[in-house]
Amino acid sequence: MGSYIAKRLLHLIWILFAVSFFTFLLMYLAPGDAAMKKLYGQGVAVSEDVLQKTRERMGLLRPFLIQFGDWLWHVLHLDLGNSLKDGFPVAEKLARGLKGTALLSLVSLLLSLAVSLPLSIVSALKKGSLADHMIRLLSFVGNSLPNFLVSVLLIYFLCVKMRLLPVVADHSFRGLILPCVALSIPICSRFIRQFRAELLEQLSKPYVSGAAMRGVKYGYILKNVLHNACIPMLTVVGLSVGTLLGGSVVIETIFRWPGLGKLAMDAITNRDYPVIQGFVLLTSVIYVVTNLVTDICYHLIDPRLLEEGAGGSGK
Amino acid sequence: MGKIRFQKRFSLFLTMLCLTLCLGACGGSEAGKNADGKEKAGGGVKELRLAESFAYPSLDVHKDYYGWYTSIYGVSETLFRVADDLSIQPLLAKDYTVSEDGRTWTIRLADASFSNGNALTADMVMRNLQRLAGVNERFAYLADFKYTAEDDKTLSIATPEVYPTMLSDLSAPELGIMDLDNTKDFDNAPICTGPFVVKSFESEGTVVVEKNNAYWNGAVKLDQVTFYYMQDDETKLSAMQAGDIDGYTSVTAAAKEIFSNSPEAYSLTEIPATRLQFYVLNKNRLSDKVRQAINLTVDNQAIAAYLGGTVSPAVGPFGASAPYGQVTKPAVDAAKAKALLEEDGYALGSDGIYAKNGEPLTLNICYYAARSLDSIALLMQEQFKNVGIKANLTVQEDPDATYVASGDYDIALYCMIADKAGDPYYCVNALYRQDSKWALAGFPTKQSEELIDRLQYETDIQKRAELANRIVQMTIDDNAFGYVGLFNKTTVTKKGVVGIAEKCPFDFYGVNANTER
């Protein structure tokens, strides 16, 4: 297991280098630059002379490889640099964004699991019943609704019509409710469909009918079914963590929740290379670590996978 | 039996989950109390809650565009300010004189003081201007001026050449004056002279300001103002409807319709502002007659109507109420446009498109998808089609790095602030000069350049307006530019809320001592 983790972490270095290089290159090739975005921020025109001096001060006139090398050198010294837009340290910005996003993602994920797991079990156990049809219909609708629409509907009904929650919420538990629900609905719907399919597959296997015929307790059978369905379900959850961490920009904007998604979006709009690079590094690490943790969970749930993996690599 | 027990446990789990969510949602809190819009923070505190579309990571008045927001928050003030009628009025200054050669400005300061009680001095103003020149690229030119504090309340500014736009420049919000000696944290708590002081500042988030009890220019009516950062239009609309905020600007057409249906609850104020939507016609590619036909075809009244009143039709780059906004342009005339095309050798084809030598008249309209330019491009395309001109639309993410910089367009749509602070020179210089990026379209002539040179050094306000009008009229008569609309500044407030600069065309003014709810 130790060598497996070490190998995966070694891969991470190459992944980070490749991702950051190509991101830097893409941003370099994209039209516009940070100086232009900064100076034209409010729609005020500036002279070409001012623009050039700002570019020079920001180091944007240097060749691509020099700029990338300079950034890389600082990163290797654990310095992500300062934002070109406002001069504040990138690490501080990322830490602030990550705090908001991690909280939002974690609560949304827990909420999604808390709702989707029981509903998918009911749906699988009661296959073909009214409850099953209702759950499948709702999951279909939930999966189809775009985030912004869910958000607007939630605000309209819960805040404007019923006055249960404020539109202007702080960063407390109450402020977390609406963005979490909005973020959870599509994830939950996806989980229900995928969990249900996996549970149905397990329930159709001979060991389940054999155990039932032998009079094994229903709860015990279900425990085994859940255990066996765990690995594919973990894969789905693992993939969702990445999506949650990087893709909640709409939710963050609508609900005024400070997070990584909006930070990255603003950085791209402003061509703020250091922030974009920092974001890419951070999300790459999160993706790789999440996948690694998922893999480790596989092995903990089913140690045979580790043996298979070791055998496979030895061949 | 086992199955029944499991179902019972499962039902219990679901019930508890639902109860937890409901309790969490319905529990009382400050924000919940605000939802009805009646209770004010602190009980008896006269508070106003506004939404802002932008938020910045710092309150340092001199850096970037942060001064716009410290001005909106009522924290910083400038030596002069632009009034609602676009005239420049003294604020921290009492009065001024200009030397005969037009190169030395002497400014006497008002008996103003900072929120910490320290008096505003000429030396402090001088050091503020010098600091601004050092930290903000757009104001680096201020370093070329020579400043002298004649006494505590008199500052003289000597410029290398005649500088007629000095008062306009000194009205820019970035020139807000801070107490440089006593401000410990420029990013979070600048000490300024405005009617409000910073109570709490959340980087790129909510800002709370409270009454400056030592305000030098009269009593401040409000105790506290909270500015919530809200980028999303739907969120702002919902927050207003839910009573969570008392007002905001940049109301969309759809929201405007909703608010105007409840005049008993909301007040809507709409004025033409300073943000201009315009297009440039490329003289290097389009003949005189084709350009004239284009300008006779574009119906900006119809465009403004389509945009739901969010813009006002423009004749020139400046509002018609400004003395330098007195220009005229011909009325829309499709028949004349067609006649001009035919005079230019075009013949109407069977497909309804004019063509010459077998080549259909096709225009390339470049734009970027912001500030309603995408809608305008589509509407123009439709209007051109009606007279027999085919138009292709090319959208760019970054106009300044693509079509504007290259001159690769027939028509380039763009949007910018045309009136920065009560003077026409900034816009004239940015758009019509020979070294401007728009010059690639071929407008500047020797005559226009001479007039712009004269405008640059003319000190008489009336003559400046006349010169500006002549220059803009040339761009219209030459069919080099087309002015589509000036964005309206639309503000919605709850009934009873007044004084949030709702009648001021500039974006950088907000609350003041007389703001009331």
Side-chain angles (χ1 to χ4, degrees), chain B residues 3-84:
Chain B
K3 188 174 181 179
I4 292 167
R5 197 182 304 141
F6 169 76
Q7 283 175 340
K8 277 185 182 170
R9 282 181 189 167
F10 188 68
S11 305
L12 187 67
F13 169 76
L14 279 183
T15 314
M16 284 178 70
L17 183 72
C18 292
L19 273 174
T20 311
L21 286 174
C22 290
L23 283 173
C26 304
S29 82
E30 280 309 307
K33 285 173 191 168
N34 282 342
D36 62 15
K38 287 175 185 167
E39 190 159 328
K40 295 165 195 169
V45 174
K46 211 169 181 184
E47 185 194 12
L48 191 68
R49 297 155 304 164
L50 302 171
E52 285 298 332
S53 303
F54 290 90
Y56 285 101
S58 164
L59 292 175
D60 190 328
V61 180
H62 298 155
K63 287 184 181 168
D64 206 349
Y65 285 94
Y66 308 153
W68 287 42
Y69 283 83
T70 51
S71 170
I72 288 169
Y73 303 153
V75 171
S76 62
E77 291 178 325
T78 45
L79 293 175
F80 295 86
R81 64 166 284 142
V82 192
D84 295 354

Side-chain angles (χ1 to χ4, degrees), chain A residues 142-158:
Chain A
N143 217 356
S144 317
L145 288 175
N147 263 342
F148 76 89
L149 187 60
V150 174
S151 308
V152 170
L153 288 174
L154 283 172
I155 288 179
Y156 183 73
F157 287 110
L158 294 179

Side-chain angles (χ1 to χ4, degrees), chain B residues 353-431:
Chain B
I353 300 295
Y354 278 98
K356 186 155 71 172
N357 304 326
E359 286 293 316
L361 177 52
T362 307
L363 302 175
N364 177 26
I365 304 178
C366 291
Y367 66 100
Y368 58 104
R371 312 268 187 208
S372 302
L373 295 182
D374 42 355
S375 303
I376 293 174
L378 277 168
L379 293 166
M380 282 172 64
Q381 186 184 40
E382 198 59 29
Q383 290 174 355
F384 288 145
K385 193 178 162 192
N386 291 339
V387 294
I389 302 172
K390 187 181 171 190
N392 294 326
L393 305 184
T394 308
V395 63
Q396 302 274 0
E397 191 200 347
D398 195 325
D400 299 293
T402 50
Y403 61 88
V404 176
S406 65
D408 185 17
Y409 54 82
D410 294 318
I411 298 177
L413 269 165
Y414 198 74
C415 182
M416 63 177 258
I417 287 183
D419 194 344
K420 208 164 62 166
D423 190 88
Y425 181 68
Y426 148 74
C427 174
V428 167
N429 184 50
L431 288 183

Side-chain angles (χ1 to χ4, degrees), chain B residues 72 103 108 110 158 165 173 190 226 233 290 320 330 335 364-365 417 440 475:
Chain B
I72 288 169
R103 293 183 182 186
R108 279 202 306 156
T165 58
T226 302
D233 292 327
V290 170
N364 177 26
I365 304 178
I417 287 183
L440 291 170
T475 70

Side-chain angles (χ1 to χ4, degrees), chain B residues 81-402:
Chain B
R81 64 166 284 142
V82 192
D84 295 354
D85 63 358
L86 303 179
S87 64
I88 294 176
Q89 306 289 338
L91 182 58
L92 290 174
K94 188 191 277 178
D95 50 36
Y96 70 93
T97 52
V98 195
S99 64
E100 280 198 11
D101 66 0
R103 293 183 182 186
T104 305
W105 295 74
T106 305
I107 298 162
R108 279 202 306 156
L109 301 179
D111 288 328
S113 58
F114 292 101
S115 58
N116 58 5
N118 290 347
L120 176 76
T121 62
D123 176 65
M124 184 59 75
V125 173
M126 181 180 81
R127 286 194 283 136
N128 267 267
L129 299 180
Q130 287 166 338
R131 180 177 187 267
L132 174 65
V135 299
N136 195 322
E137 295 90 350
R138 289 181 293 119
F139 292 88
Y141 67 89
L142 289 175
D144 300 336
F145 299 168
K146 190 180 167 209
Y147 305 94
T148 312
E150 307 289 352
D151 58 45
D152 253 14
K153 289 288 178 188
T154 312
L155 172 73
S156 70
I157 305 174
T159 57
E161 52 188 17
V162 180
Y163 199 81
T165 58
M166 178 61 82
L167 298 186
S168 170
D169 284 16
L170 292 176
S171 306
E174 293 89 339
L175 274 82
I177 307 298
M178 294 189 281
D179 184 346
L180 300 177
D181 295 333
N182 293 293
T183 296
K184 300 280 181 266
D185 185 350
F186 286 95
D187 288 324
N188 296 293
I191 296 171
C192 303
T193 59
F196 294 95
V197 293
V198 181
K199 184 181 179 186
S200 69
F201 170 68
E202 191 183 306
S203 175
E204 294 173 277
T206 303
V207 179
V208 183
V209 295
E210 60 187 357
K211 178 195 283 194
N212 172 7
N213 289 313
Y215 186 50
W216 65 277
N217 201 14
V220 183
K221 291 180 178 169
L222 288 174
D223 294 316
Q224 184 167 297
V225 189
T226 302
F227 296 89
Y228 295 108
Y229 174 37
M230 279 185 213
Q231 240 186 341
D232 185 63
D233 292 327
E234 290 299 326
T235 311
K236 281 185 272 196
L237 167 65
S238 302
M240 195 71 194
Q241 287 179 310
D244 284 8
I245 54 171
D246 301 311
Y248 69 94
T249 52
S250 306
V251 179
T252 61
K256 203 174 81 175
E257 202 177 324
I258 292 168
F259 292 130
S260 58
N261 287 335
S262 305
E264 70 290 347
Y266 307 110
S267 299
L268 269 169
T269 312
E270 191 168 77
I271 53 158
T274 58
R275 209 175 282 276
L276 172 75
Q277 295 158 317
F278 67 100
Y279 56 86
V280 183
L281 297 160
N282 196 336
K283 287 179 76 174
N284 303 316
R285 294 187 181 185
L286 305 169
S287 69
D288 289 352
K289 285 185 175 154
V290 170
R291 293 199 319 278
Q292 194 181 349
I294 288 170
N295 274 349
L296 287 170
T297 304
V298 176
D299 184 351
N300 62 355
Q301 303 271 356
I303 291 172
Y306 179 84
L307 293 176
T310 51
V311 301
S312 295
V315 181
F318 309 112
S321 61
Y324 44 87
Q326 307 308 308
V327 288
T328 56
K329 71 174 182 183
V332 174
D333 190 339
K336 193 174 175 190
K338 287 181 180 182
L340 280 163
L341 293 177
E342 283 160 17
E343 278 175 32
D344 206 39
Y346 287 93
L348 196 60
S350 57
D351 57 354
I353 300 295
Y354 278 98
K356 186 155 71 172
N357 304 326
E359 286 293 316
L361 177 52
T362 307
L363 302 175
N364 177 26
I365 304 178
C366 291
Y367 66 100
Y368 58 104
R371 312 268 187 208
S372 302
L373 295 182
D374 42 355
S375 303
I376 293 174
L378 277 168
L379 293 166
M380 282 172 64
Q381 186 184 40
E382 198 59 29
Q383 290 174 355
F384 288 145
K385 193 178 162 192
N386 291 339
V387 294
I389 302 172
K390 187 181 171 190
N392 294 326
L393 305 184
T394 308
V395 63
Q396 302 274 0
E397 191 200 347
D398 195 325
D400 299 293
T402 50

